[in-house]
Amino acid sequence: MSATIALRAENIIKYFDQPERFQVLKGISFDVQKGEFLALVGKSGSGKSTLLYVLSTMDTDYEGGLHVSGEKMTGKTQNELAAFRNSQIGFVFQFHYLLPEFTALHNVMLPALKLGRKSRAQIEEEAMAHLSTLDLRDQAMKAASKLSGGQQQRVAIARALINEPSIIMGDEPTGNLDSRNTQVVFDIFRGLAREKGQTIITVTHDEDFARNCDRVIELSDGRVISGVH
Ligand SMILES: Nc1ncnc2c1ncn2[C@@H]1O[C@H](COP(=O)(O)OP(=O)(O)O)[C@@H](O)[C@H]1O
Ligand SMILES: [Mg+2]
């Protein structure tokens, strides 16, 4: 596998068994290049969230092969996957799942504290730097619950970036935002891919957002119908 490939999905197949057995992913294969900004699109129910969950390594109940950053994920233990995720993958969801009573700063610091590779002072400094980049320096000491929706989403992005993941995955990260904040989030992702070579894989139903990404992969009924050559 070439060193420029960030993620490789090989014939990913998945079934759900409830309420009855049905095949949700029907053989999905593609490569994502390092530094690529990729949009995953498709109608509601086409399997986007299910696929992202597999790609993120959180769901291990699939057939096929998954490689991330040159490492084979398929077959690793849950503990190995959890450690890999915390250092290599950052997540941004439509609903940010910040801890509401904690300050913005503390929310951003948490994944790094959990990783435990740096001192608290170092982590705090880096968290502040991310908040500053996202224009949130003056919000750092406010409880997350006191911030606006757009601010909270930017805090969630800072949190996703704190461990300098090679891949950032989003499931409709702008689904809750107005057009101005959607543009802000787009520009942040664009910059991360271009300037830091971080790989972005994000589900979106926003056509403008998708059009401006490097590539769009479209799913329909559990298959890729365009965007993979
Ligand atoms: N935990 C689950 N159990 C059973 N079926 C599910 C589950 N999660 C999703 N599905 C079904 O799988 C299909 C794909 O869902 P999903 O991946 O959420 O689609 P999308 O994100 O594209 O809207 C849908 O038919 C959905 O109802
Ligand atoms: Mg979804």
Side-chain angles (χ1 to χ4, degrees), residues 1 7-13 27-31 51 54-55 62-68 71-75:
M1 202 166 112
L7 181 145
R8 168 168 288 174
E10 280 172 336
N11 201 24
I12 303 285
I13 288 170
I28 293 189
S29 300
F30 56 82
D31 286 348
L51 175 62
V54 169
L55 300 182
Y62 61 89
E63 295 162 32
L66 174 67
H67 292 78
V68 182
E71 264 191 71
K72 189 174 183 188
M73 296 294 114
T74 315

Side-chain angles (χ1 to χ4, degrees), residues 44-45 47-50 94 171-172 203:
S44 175
K48 305 180 298 293
S49 293
T50 303
Q94 178 175 1
D171 196 350
E172 309 212 6
V203 171

Side-chain angles (χ1 to χ4, degrees), residues 16 18 22 24 43-50:
F16 280 122
Q18 299 294 332
F22 101 101
V24 55
K43 292 200 178 91
S44 175
S46 56
K48 305 180 298 293
S49 293
T50 303

Side-chain angles (χ1 to χ4, degrees), residues 68-117:
V68 182
S69 305
E71 264 191 71
K72 189 174 183 188
M73 296 294 114
T74 315
K76 278 191 191 285
T77 66
Q78 292 298 339
N79 280 344
E80 289 169 339
L81 290 174
F84 183 88
R85 273 198 301 277
N86 196 29
S87 64
Q88 295 282 326
I89 305 179
F91 300 94
V92 187
F93 299 99
Q94 178 175 1
F95 302 99
H96 42 73
Y97 304 114
L98 298 176
L99 297 177
E101 304 304 321
F102 283 37
T103 63
L105 177 63
H106 197 172
N107 271 282
V108 175
M109 290 171 68
L110 281 173
L113 293 171
K114 189 171 161 205
L115 192 61
R117 283 195 191 148

